[in-house]
Amino acid sequence: MIYYSSVLDFENQFPRTGIKFQKNYIQESLRLANRFFFKNKDFIEYIKAEETILDELYFTRDSFCNSKEICCENYYRDDSFNTYKDLVLAQYTSYNRLISYIHKRHHQLKSMYKGIPTPREFTSPLNWTCSKTDLTELIYALHSRSAINNGNIEIKEIAKTFEKILHFKLDDFYKTYSEIKNRKKSQTKFLDFRLYY
């Protein structure tokens, strides 16, 4: 709901004319997103690291009842349901998706004024020739290192993009990743591979 409300606000306020005004609006929207990430950087690092030690503080009702912090717009809050940080987590997920949306809009804007191809028109000459497991391992490595969009992107978006660029179907990459995590030896066989001459 937060994501779609943000997209609606973005589109409703998007300047209808003037490339300069439109670009400035896009930059300001990205600045607002970055401000959120900076303000909540400790919590975001906690989520990205898949920590659990503070879950009782962040995601139970007791801590919310004792907190005076307002972490989201009032109309998203439900005092009988929300916890201390669940809305911040929802905003984090929403901003990741919103940034991807804004980048697509920016590309469309450049296409309109410069005639460059849109992402749908782009045809990649690349083909993935290793296994599905190898590609899944690479995608998770890039995501865990925040190597794409400074980590401000859902892993599903990265996977979909790789599928399109490399003409390769990953199917259920979450299941594949689970199998990688359960390896008895190295969980990074593809990344550890070296060629010796």
Side-chain angles (χ1 to χ4, degrees), residues 133-157:
T133 304
D134 291 339
L135 183 55
T136 302
E137 184 182 315
L138 176 62
I139 290 169
Y140 270 91
L142 292 170
H143 185 261
S144 66
R145 288 297 305 274
S146 300
I148 298 175
N149 291 354
N150 291 317
N152 300 321
I153 186 171
E154 290 186 23
I155 195 163
K156 187 182 288 187
E157 289 294 319

Side-chain angles (χ1 to χ4, degrees), residues 19-136:
I19 181 69
K20 182 178 178 181
F21 296 118
Q22 292 169 337
K23 283 184 175 180
N24 287 343
Y25 179 74
I26 286 172
Q27 292 303 316
E28 182 56 30
S29 298
L30 292 174
R31 271 195 291 271
L32 287 173
N34 284 330
R35 201 173 301 157
F36 169 83
F37 289 121
F38 180 77
K39 179 182 176 184
N40 297 283
K41 60 183 179 180
D42 292 337
F43 176 70
I44 290 169
E45 284 302 314
Y46 175 84
I47 294 300
K48 287 167 68 175
E50 299 181 357
E51 293 286 352
T52 58
I53 193 170
L54 297 176
D55 281 5
E56 188 173 342
L57 171 66
Y58 289 157
F59 302 116
T60 61
R61 293 283 305 126
D62 290 341
S63 58
F64 181 74
C65 293
N66 295 326
S67 171
K68 296 180 180 178
E69 179 180 333
I70 297 176
C71 56
C72 197
E73 289 84 354
N74 288 332
Y75 51 87
Y76 291 130
R77 286 169 50 115
D78 180 351
D79 290 341
S80 66
F81 177 78
N82 290 123
T83 63
Y84 179 46
K85 289 289 188 182
D86 60 349
L87 286 171
V88 179
L89 180 58
Q91 282 181 300
Y92 168 63
T93 304
S94 169
Y95 270 122
N96 281 333
R97 293 183 64 188
L98 183 63
I99 287 171
S100 296
Y101 179 87
I102 292 172
H103 282 304
K104 287 177 185 175
R105 280 294 264 123
H106 188 219
H107 190 88
Q108 290 172 353
L109 190 66
K110 290 193 296 184
S111 300
M112 191 188 323
Y113 285 94
K114 295 184 180 179
I116 64 174
T118 63
R120 289 182 182 177
E121 295 169 342
F122 173 73
T123 303
S124 169
L126 308 177
N127 291 285
W128 184 258
T129 53
C130 283
S131 71
K132 176 172 63 174
T133 304
D134 291 339
L135 183 55
T136 302

Side-chain angles (χ1 to χ4, degrees), residues 137-186:
E137 184 182 315
L138 176 62
I139 290 169
Y140 270 91
L142 292 170
H143 185 261
S144 66
R145 288 297 305 274
S146 300
I148 298 175
N149 291 354
N150 291 317
N152 300 321
I153 186 171
E154 290 186 23
I155 195 163
K156 187 182 288 187
E157 289 294 319
I158 300 174
K160 285 180 181 177
T161 303
F162 270 71
E163 284 182 324
K164 290 177 184 176
I165 293 174
L166 300 174
H167 304 108
F168 191 87
K169 192 69 178 168
L170 282 168
D171 299 316
D172 189 353
F173 63 92
Y174 291 114
K175 181 182 177 183
T176 306
Y177 178 64
S178 178
E179 292 169 358
I180 292 171
K181 286 179 70 176
N182 291 327
R183 285 175 180 165
K184 292 183 179 179
K185 295 183 179 180
S186 174

